[in-house]
Amino acid sequence: MTSRTRGRPAAGTSGDTRSEILAAARSQFAARGFNGVSLRSIAREAGVDASLISHYFGDKSALLVASMELPVNPIEKIAGVVADGPDGMAERLLRTFLSAWDPHREVFSTLVRTTLGGGDTDAPMLQLARNVLITSLLEVIEGDDRELRATLIASEIIGMATLRYVAKLEPLTDAAIEDVVAAYAPSMQVLIDR
Amino acid sequence: MTSRTRGRPAAGTSGDTRSEILAAARSQFAARGFNGVSLRSIAREAGVDASLISHYFGDKSALLVASMELPVNPIEKIAGVVADGPDGMAERLLRTFLSAWDPHREVFSTLVRTTLGGGDTDAPMLQLARNVLITSLLEVIEGDDRELRATLIASEIIGMATLRYVAKLEPLTDAAIEDVVAAYAPSMQVLIDR
DNA sequence: GTCTATAGACGGATAGAC
DNA sequence: GTCTATCCGTCTATAGAC
């Protein structure tokens, strides 16, 4: 927990060197993943000296963490939806998920790339999938294959979001939220109802 | 097209240095992606000198390509399934896909990690998804939102395979093919039938 | 607060001895 | 066919001048 949304006292000339760095980091981590990005390239895009990154954020991992901080936690919203029971859950799940993440496409992309680009099996994204989504789902769906089906629901959400935010496959990337909900919810609801 | 399955004339002592390198490369690329792996670490695991990799395969990219060569092309099988029409297609699609890729989990993992780990939007995996799977699907499914639904079918397959082969989320990773087919096909068929 | 300079490590690739 | 040695580039991170 290094930084909060702290207002810098009174910067020098341009609008926040620190913010420029964060914006460039978000963009590049989302596009090329942690290993595919160098601090130098981020500094170049931000128009600052590379050593300033260390000065403001510490090391590269800390910059990654800072660039992924969100004003609200999209995960908690999802868990709340599941608690409302299985009727029409697919629709609520998709709408809530898309509404929460659409404004933060780059962060989700970074989440996927750092999870799937490296070798970390206990990466943050998978912990979330297992501990929050799947655990909640198991309390409301039924059947003796419900663990498998809960995992498949998670895979539907992650797969959809990966093609929408990371791979940017048309027409999924630019489709309106309600169009995706309408097209996908009936399929997902089958996994919920059994 | 550098190498075919060529029998080396008469190697020195142990079973093929070349094969040892390939096995180590497959394992490490699958686990940590292209950028996360060094030629030195592959050489170490293979128990050979690092310079032999250059000697046999050229550069690092050529080694990646060689490590992903498959005896058969799983993609062509999939396209054939789609041509058989929409009735019960989800079941055939899933069974064929899983049968084709289960013996080559590491290759699929590498495919995903190199597609999602780097920034290449035209990476091989996405070309396949778009040009083969989605294109075939568009010829058999109907409705004015069929492009969106075809893309969602692709996302279901890719998402499922990613959690099964790359993220290795239980119980999906170790589930029998027929169990996955039984649990998932009804949901996917809804996207096909509309 | 910003920049220069550089330390220190690692990785890819090659030349050449044996 | 295998290994030693090395070149050259890039990267993270830090020390310190201004």
Side-chain angles (χ1 to χ4, degrees):
Chain A
M1 312 303 169
T2 295
S3 78
R4 292 189 67 75
T5 320
R6 95 173 55 137
R8 303 242 103 220
T13 58
S14 73
D16 275 310
T17 293
R18 186 189 166 89
S19 304
E20 300 281 356
I21 293 173
L22 269 182
R26 253 189 290 268
S27 154
Q28 296 205 11
F29 283 140
R32 302 202 304 274
F34 186 76
N35 286 333
V37 165
S38 73
L39 294 179
R40 286 165 148 93
S41 72
I42 292 174
R44 203 179 313 127
E45 179 175 329
V48 305
D49 189 273
S51 67
L52 286 184
I53 297 180
S54 309
H55 183 256
Y56 280 116
F57 297 97
D59 64 5
K60 192 182 179 183
S61 297
L63 175 62
L64 175 73
V65 171
S67 78
M68 289 174 54
E69 275 176 10
L70 292 177
V72 295
N73 186 346
I75 303 298
E76 293 173 5
K77 294 188 177 181
I78 307 293
V81 167
V82 176
D84 284 344
D87 287 352
M89 188 169 85
E91 199 177 313
R92 301 196 314 274
L93 207 50
L94 281 166
R95 187 178 294 116
T96 305
F97 183 93
L98 289 168
S99 302
W101 281 109
D102 262 22
H104 308 289
R105 290 173 176 238
E106 289 186 331
V107 173
F108 192 90
S109 179
T110 302
L111 205 52
V112 170
R113 288 201 201 274
T114 52
T115 299
L116 264 34
D120 205 343
T121 312
D122 271 2
M125 172 170 221
L126 294 176
Q127 287 181 20
L128 294 178
R130 185 194 299 279
N131 298 340
V132 181
L133 219 190
I134 297 181
T135 302
S136 324
L137 286 170
L138 283 178
E139 292 179 13
V140 290
I141 71 177
E142 296 173 354
D144 38 341
D145 63 343
R146 50 198 242 283
E147 297 205 358
L148 183 54
R149 277 159 46 227
T151 307
L152 288 170
I153 293 169
S155 90
E156 287 191 336
I157 294 177
I158 292 174
M160 181 272 294
T162 299
L163 262 54
R164 182 176 175 90
Y165 301 139
V166 189
K168 302 196 170 76
L169 210 61
E170 289 294 1
L172 183 54
T173 300
D174 291 324
I177 289 180
E178 285 307 317
D179 289 343
V180 178
V181 172
Y184 207 9
S187 170
M188 188 177 293
Q189 189 67 38
V190 169
L191 276 177
I192 296 168
D193 295 335
R194 182 188 197 341
Chain B
M1 311 304 167
T2 295
S3 78
R4 293 188 67 75
T5 319
R6 97 175 52 140
R8 304 243 103 220
T13 56
S14 73
D16 275 308
T17 292
R18 188 189 166 89
S19 305
E20 301 280 356
I21 294 173
L22 270 182
R26 253 188 290 270
S27 154
Q28 296 205 12
F29 283 140
R32 301 201 305 273
F34 187 75
N35 287 334
V37 165
S38 74
L39 294 179
R40 287 168 150 95
S41 72
I42 292 174
R44 201 180 314 126
E45 179 175 328
V48 305
D49 188 275
S51 67
L52 286 185
I53 297 180
S54 310
H55 183 254
Y56 281 116
F57 298 96
D59 64 4
K60 193 182 178 183
S61 296
L63 174 63
L64 175 74
V65 171
S67 77
M68 288 174 53
E69 274 174 10
L70 292 178
V72 296
N73 186 345
I75 304 299
E76 293 172 4
K77 295 188 178 182
I78 307 292
V81 167
V82 176
D84 284 343
D87 287 351
M89 190 170 82
E91 198 177 316
R92 301 197 313 275
L93 206 50
L94 280 165
R95 187 178 293 116
T96 305
F97 182 92
L98 288 167
S99 301
W101 280 109
D102 261 23
H104 308 290
R105 291 173 174 237
E106 287 185 335
V107 173
F108 192 91
S109 178
T110 302
L111 206 53
V112 170
R113 288 202 202 274
T114 53
T115 299
L116 264 33
D120 205 344
T121 312
D122 272 2
M125 172 171 220
L126 295 176
Q127 286 180 19
L128 294 178
R130 186 193 299 280
N131 299 340
V132 181
L133 218 189
I134 297 182
T135 303
S136 324
L137 286 170
L138 283 178
E139 292 179 13
V140 289
I141 71 177
E142 297 172 353
D144 38 341
D145 63 342
R146 50 198 240 284
E147 296 204 358
L148 183 54
R149 276 160 45 229
T151 307
L152 287 171
I153 293 170
S155 90
E156 287 191 337
I157 294 176
I158 292 174
M160 181 273 292
T162 299
L163 261 53
R164 182 176 174 90
Y165 301 139
V166 188
K168 302 196 170 77
L169 210 61
E170 290 294 2
L172 183 54
T173 300
D174 291 325
I177 288 180
E178 286 306 318
D179 289 343
V180 178
V181 172
Y184 208 7
S187 170
M188 188 177 293
Q189 189 68 37
V190 169
L191 276 177
I192 297 168
D193 295 336
R194 179 185 196 353

